[in-house]
Amino acid sequence: MIKSTLDAFALMRGPFTETMVYADTNALKTWWKKIQLQYFGLISANNTFLACQYFTVRGVRTLNGKLVQHKLSNYYQKHPHPEAAPIPAKVSYYHFMDESFHFNSSTIISHNVITCLKPPTAFERLVANLGLLGCQRDHFHFSAVINGIFWYDPALYGKIYRVLRSRIFEMSDKDAKEMMRRCFTEESEGLKRSFSTHQEAMKSYQVYVEKLDYLWKRNLDMSLMATNSISRYLANQKRGFQGFEHRDNLFISHANTQKGREESESFV
């Protein structure tokens, strides 16, 4: 029963899957990650150690959610009348409880159940370490838009631009791009807080995996995540934004697309 459950989870979502708004990809990268995911599901179906590795990566991923949701749930937990607390506060609390359940179940399997198995072979160690290294890549980024990791800000440029050009803000093309340039390519308090969350997550991951003796040093140290910094973020944003700001009025093409879609729907 436990084995079949592990296999089902491993097939459902593997260590190489991209998350959130990480859109720095192309058709070749997407195809290659799909192949990796399918291969992991195939080899873990008959390998208990590798099936457990799904929960190692899952534990790291949900640890980040647990850290964020714990802070958001404090308002509800300290509210004098929890039943009268705002609905978003209740949602944050139950989200925290859900993340805690996933984290605890992952920890039991990846830290305790795995000790009952034979020591991993060289191949099993390789696959396990590649999975965790892939998790580090997913968690490499932090965001000026959202206080958290995963988020790849260049993927949000177009959406934020349309919001600034909408009836809510009514900015011109020039003003919207200037606002975005300052938000993404200059240091800010929000960016510092997001980087602090990134560092907190990285240190928590180090503690989480420190007793897993089959891991490479670069995974024990989370050295890939550690190479990111505010200066590196700003340099990447400056490169990414150069191409975006020189594009013609993006709002007009978006508005025309929306208008055409609405006309088609009304015709139907």
Side-chain angles (χ1 to χ4, degrees):
M1 178 65 181
I2 294 177
K3 179 65 167 59
S4 62
T5 302
L6 295 177
D7 294 343
F9 275 120
L11 286 166
M12 192 166 57
R13 188 177 181 187
F16 300 99
T17 305
E18 290 182 336
T19 54
M20 302 298 189
V21 195
Y22 188 78
D24 183 20
T25 189
N26 53 43
L28 179 59
K29 288 181 180 179
T30 301
W31 174 82
W32 177 235
K33 288 201 172 187
K34 182 179 179 181
I35 294 297
Q36 290 176 319
L37 174 59
Q38 291 175 338
Y39 182 65
F40 178 81
L42 178 65
I43 61 178
S44 65
N46 292 302
N47 188 302
T48 307
F49 176 83
L50 291 181
C52 286
Q53 295 318 297
Y54 169 83
F55 289 93
T56 305
V57 174
R58 181 175 180 250
V60 171
R61 291 183 183 277
T62 54
L63 176 54
N64 171 64
K66 185 170 177 284
L67 291 170
V68 173
Q69 291 302 324
H70 179 260
K71 296 176 182 178
L72 295 176
S73 69
N74 280 338
Y75 180 83
Y76 176 84
Q77 295 187 66
K78 297 178 180 179
H79 198 284
H81 304 289
E83 67 281 355
I87 291 178
K90 295 178 181 179
V91 171
S92 292
Y93 170 73
Y94 287 107
H95 190 178
F96 167 66
M97 296 296 288
D98 180 62
E99 293 290 359
S100 297
F101 169 79
H102 291 308
F103 173 75
N104 292 335
S105 60
S106 295
T107 301
I108 291 172
I109 295 172
S110 64
H111 286 63
N112 300 109
V113 172
I114 204 169
T115 61
C116 302
L117 308 177
K118 295 186 299 183
T121 64
F123 175 73
E124 290 169 339
R125 291 167 65 97
L126 173 65
V127 174
N129 276 281
L130 288 176
L132 200 55
L133 193 62
C135 186
Q136 281 199 70
R137 291 193 184 97
D138 279 350
H139 293 214
F140 179 81
H141 297 282
F142 57 95
S143 172
V145 180
I146 300 157
N147 184 356
I149 58 178
F150 296 111
W151 305 93
Y152 182 68
D153 280 354
L156 301 175
Y157 286 171
K159 297 175 177 60
I160 293 176
Y161 175 85
R162 290 198 290 269
V163 170
L164 295 178
R165 293 299 312 280
S166 69
R167 296 176 182 176
I168 299 173
F169 293 97
E170 296 185 335
M171 286 188 176
S172 66
D173 175 69
K174 180 180 179 181
D175 289 343
K177 289 178 179 176
E178 176 60 16
M179 170 67 80
M180 292 176 63
R181 185 193 66 76
R182 296 180 63 184
C183 290
F184 286 111
T185 66
E186 296 180 3
E187 194 169 319
S188 63
E189 181 62 27
L191 184 61
K192 291 178 181 177
R193 289 180 179 238
S194 189
F195 179 64
S196 177
T197 298
H198 181 274
Q199 295 297 289
E200 179 185 7
M202 181 186 70
K203 292 175 182 176
S204 298
Y205 299 167
Q206 290 171 342
V207 174
Y208 184 74
V209 302
E210 65 182 357
K211 295 182 179 179
L212 302 179
D213 57 7
Y214 59 86
L215 293 181
W216 297 334
K217 190 175 187 302
R218 72 179 99 168
N219 280 325
L220 290 170
D221 296 342
M222 293 289 153
S223 57
L224 178 59
M225 282 185 70
T227 60
N228 207 355
S229 63
I230 289 179
S231 60
R232 183 167 182 168
Y233 170 90
L234 293 174
N236 288 336
Q237 297 305 311
K238 287 175 182 178
R239 285 195 297 270
F241 195 70
Q242 282 179 350
F244 180 84
E245 67 179 342
H246 291 113
R247 292 167 64 182
D248 292 333
N249 195 322
L250 301 169
F251 189 71
I252 293 177
S253 59
H254 172 70
N256 288 340
T257 301
Q258 287 291 99
K259 182 179 179 181
R261 185 180 297 115
E262 291 171 359
E263 290 177 348
S264 297
E265 291 174 351
S266 63
F267 178 76
V268 174

